[in-house]
Amino acid sequence: MEKNYLKQYIEFSNAFRKSNDSKESVENIYDLLYELENVDKSKEDNLVLSNVYILLGFHKSAYEVFKEIVDLSNNKEVSKLYVMEQKAKSHGNNFSIKDIRKLKEKKELPKLTLSDFKISKEDNNKFEIPQKEIVIFNKNVKGKISIYIPDLDIEKYSDTIFKHINGLSDCKNELIKFYNQNNEFTNIQANDYWYDTLDIYSIQITLNNSGDIETLISVGDTFSQDHILDIELTNQAIVSMNYDG
């Protein structure tokens, strides 16, 4: 007997809304999502998957699924597709509700090699790591790092860069402490949940001629979801945090 994912979605989504996104309801929705992502799906199942993505705030993923199953002869579905496309463009998957169980898991550090560094096609003075995931603030990040060095001899600076990136892999205590001591924007105290749910948007690392390493990491957080939190470090020390805009 085939599983009725629609019935399960209705049950879980109702509990999700009534409980104001409780931890248990979020976990139930994510369990449904993981199952749907890994089974052979009918059109109805894909529609459920698209709705689950919308519920959790993955608007780009919801649109990508729905556009594959939309009936272009159905005006109602075409109108829905247009609305979803606009939401995908404006929000992407950037403001989604997180599965805290996954986020809290300790991420394994990758072993970087010189072959992972590529000169940017747009800027000959910039190196990128386009294909391999790195770990920043215990988040797996891919294709979001820019590295500037005094000259183009990446081999000369590779050990320093590897060590620095590994040092950024988990800064929970330092970030929470700095935010709580220097925050002038909200009256909310940062905690483990705040750290675990940070979204990494970009990382810029600059090695100066003096030998110092300046890093700018732009993140999204749960306290101010319409703004970007810019975190600046010199070497491994946090020197500022500011919301952009």
Side-chain angles (χ1 to χ4, degrees), residues 40-155:
D40 292 330
K41 292 176 283 295
S42 64
K43 178 178 179 178
E44 183 181 80
D45 294 337
N46 273 308
L47 181 58
V48 172
L49 176 60
S50 179
N51 287 334
V52 170
Y53 279 136
I54 291 172
L55 188 65
L56 291 171
F58 293 97
H59 294 288
K60 181 180 179 181
S61 297
Y63 168 70
E64 294 293 337
V65 171
F66 189 72
K67 75 177 183 180
E68 297 298 323
I69 60 171
V70 63
D71 181 356
L72 295 178
S73 66
N74 185 316
N75 290 334
K76 185 176 180 180
E77 289 194 14
V78 172
S79 296
K80 179 179 178 180
L81 180 67
Y82 174 77
V83 171
M84 291 175 68
E85 182 180 17
Q86 300 311 304
K87 198 79 169 180
K89 290 178 179 178
S90 62
H91 286 65
N93 290 337
N94 294 326
F95 305 104
S96 57
I97 296 170
K98 312 300 181 186
D99 184 356
I100 197 67
R101 297 170 298 180
K102 296 278 188 181
L103 298 176
K104 290 174 70 173
E105 294 175 355
K106 185 72 172 178
K107 307 302 186 294
E108 183 178 351
L109 295 181
K111 183 174 177 56
L112 290 170
T113 65
L114 281 174
S115 63
D116 295 319
F117 293 88
K118 306 296 181 184
I119 296 178
S120 169
K121 295 179 181 178
E122 293 78 25
D123 185 347
N124 288 334
N125 295 314
K126 179 173 72 174
F127 283 86
E128 299 172 337
I129 305 176
Q131 298 300 327
K132 181 174 285 186
E133 285 188 339
I134 60 174
V135 177
I136 303 293
F137 301 163
N138 200 39
K139 314 291 185 295
N140 288 323
V141 181
K142 184 177 180 180
K144 297 182 179 182
I145 188 168
S146 303
I147 302 168
Y148 297 87
I149 56 178
D151 54 65
L152 294 181
D153 187 0
I154 188 67
E155 185 174 2

